Amino acid sequence: MSEDMNPINDEQSLQQVQELIVKRISTTNARIYEAGGGSGSCLPSNILANAHVTVVDIDEAQLQRNQYANTKLLGDIQTQAFPQDSFELIVCYNVIEHLNAPDRAIERFYEALVPGGLLFIGAPNPESFSGWITRLTPHWFHVQYYRLVLGYKNAGQPGNVPFPTVFERIVVPSALITFCRELGFNVLYFCEYKGMVYENLSERRPLLGRLLYAAIKIANALVLWRKDLGNGDYHIVLEKPLGSKRSS
């Protein structure tokens, strides 16, 4: 298998997800829950403008900067519960890697969705090359990388990336898909893609970018090209099937 086994990037995959969501979710009066949504959204503006959006985040500074949510709640998505049939769409984007109990959060998402509702999860892959680096290095190293290499002067300050990464086992794509299917979800979309970390590094530090790509090529060769370790992130869209039984 060639090293270009999956050339899709984050923008292309996100566009596919957005198109899927637009086809499945009404652009008017949709009830949307952004779990750990913070101050920004990955959803199309036409959906956000006409939906009732609830954002739950544990970071008060992120919530204060949020300009689009109708309801903002300071809380932990691992324990935050909503009544059944509360939302047509739940988004958890670049959040589950920071959770100590992502399975509990996903269970609550399933309970809160209407039958036929969608859950969109975006996350880094702990089994990718960048995931290995993240797991093997301490949080202070991540902060310095964002400050010194990527140029984020406020990195690590309250309300600013990077946030501490936990990478519980369930965050691995294969484990996540298995868990979600056992919970009752159908998988509508799944894609591993090259994340922004590579583009950011190549733009800001071209030499380091070239070295990183060289290291990824070597790592891919070592695993005999069974997978592209440069695909550092993934998107998954899950559906709560119609006719799903209510949780007891």
Side-chain angles (χ1 to χ4, degrees):
M1 187 175 293
S2 73
E3 63 195 69
D4 295 322
M5 61 183 76
N6 187 6
I8 194 169
N9 62 30
D10 59 322
E11 292 182 357
Q12 293 168 327
S13 181
L14 183 58
Q15 182 178 358
Q16 293 181 30
V17 170
Q18 291 174 342
E19 291 173 354
L20 172 60
I21 289 173
V22 169
K23 289 179 180 178
R24 293 291 301 268
I25 301 297
S26 171
T27 56
T28 58
N29 301 319
R31 297 169 297 170
I32 299 173
Y33 168 26
E34 294 204 356
S39 59
S41 178
C42 62
L43 293 176
S45 58
N46 62 324
I47 285 187
L48 289 177
N50 297 291
H52 186 282
V53 182
T54 298
V55 171
V56 177
D57 201 287
I58 202 168
D59 191 315
E60 187 171 7
Q62 286 274 340
L63 279 179
Q64 290 177 349
R65 292 202 295 265
N66 187 293
Q67 299 296 315
Y68 62 88
N70 303 96
T71 301
K72 297 189 286 187
L73 300 174
L74 183 65
D76 187 342
I77 65 172
Q78 298 166 111
T79 57
Q80 179 72 48
F82 291 96
Q84 293 175 335
D85 300 343
S86 289
F87 305 103
E88 282 76 37
L89 172 64
I90 297 176
V91 177
C92 188
Y93 203 76
N94 290 338
V95 176
I96 62 171
E97 67 272 19
H98 305 296
L99 303 180
N100 292 307
D103 53 336
R104 296 180 189 172
I106 295 170
E107 288 171 350
R108 283 167 171 74
F109 299 160
Y110 187 87
E111 294 167 358
L113 277 172
V114 301
L118 303 182
L119 169 60
F120 171 33
I121 295 175
N125 184 354
E127 292 191 335
S128 66
F129 188 87
S130 57
W132 294 348
I133 299 300
T134 300
R135 285 189 292 169
L136 293 172
T137 52
H139 180 63
W140 65 261
F141 179 87
H142 307 160
V143 172
Q144 294 305 313
Y145 172 79
Y146 271 75
R147 288 181 181 176
L148 302 178
V149 178
L150 298 183
Y152 291 87
K153 295 180 180 180
N154 295 322
Q157 298 300 314
N160 292 276
V161 295
F163 305 108
T165 301
V166 178
F167 271 152
E168 282 294 321
R169 173 63 188 172
I170 196 176
V171 177
V172 173
S174 58
L176 178 63
I177 289 173
T178 297
F179 174 78
C180 289
R181 282 177 170 157
E182 291 175 349
L183 195 59
F185 279 113
N186 293 327
V187 179
L188 300 185
Y189 177 90
F190 173 72
C191 179
E192 294 178 295
Y193 62 91
K194 297 185 185 300
M196 287 295 293
V197 61
Y198 304 115
E199 293 181 17
N200 288 339
L201 182 60
S202 296
E203 290 175 359
R204 296 174 182 270
R205 298 288 190 274
L207 177 58
L208 289 178
R210 289 194 292 271
L211 291 174
L212 175 60
Y213 277 110
I216 291 172
K217 287 182 179 180
I218 294 172
N220 282 341
L222 291 175
V223 299
L224 303 178
W225 299 103
R226 288 190 295 266
K227 61 182 300 184
D228 186 351
L229 296 173
N231 288 329
D233 297 77
Y234 63 90
H235 290 148
I236 182 169
V237 180
L238 304 151
E239 175 195 46
K240 181 176 181 178
L242 291 171
S244 299
K245 295 181 179 179
R246 292 178 177 269
S247 303
S248 58

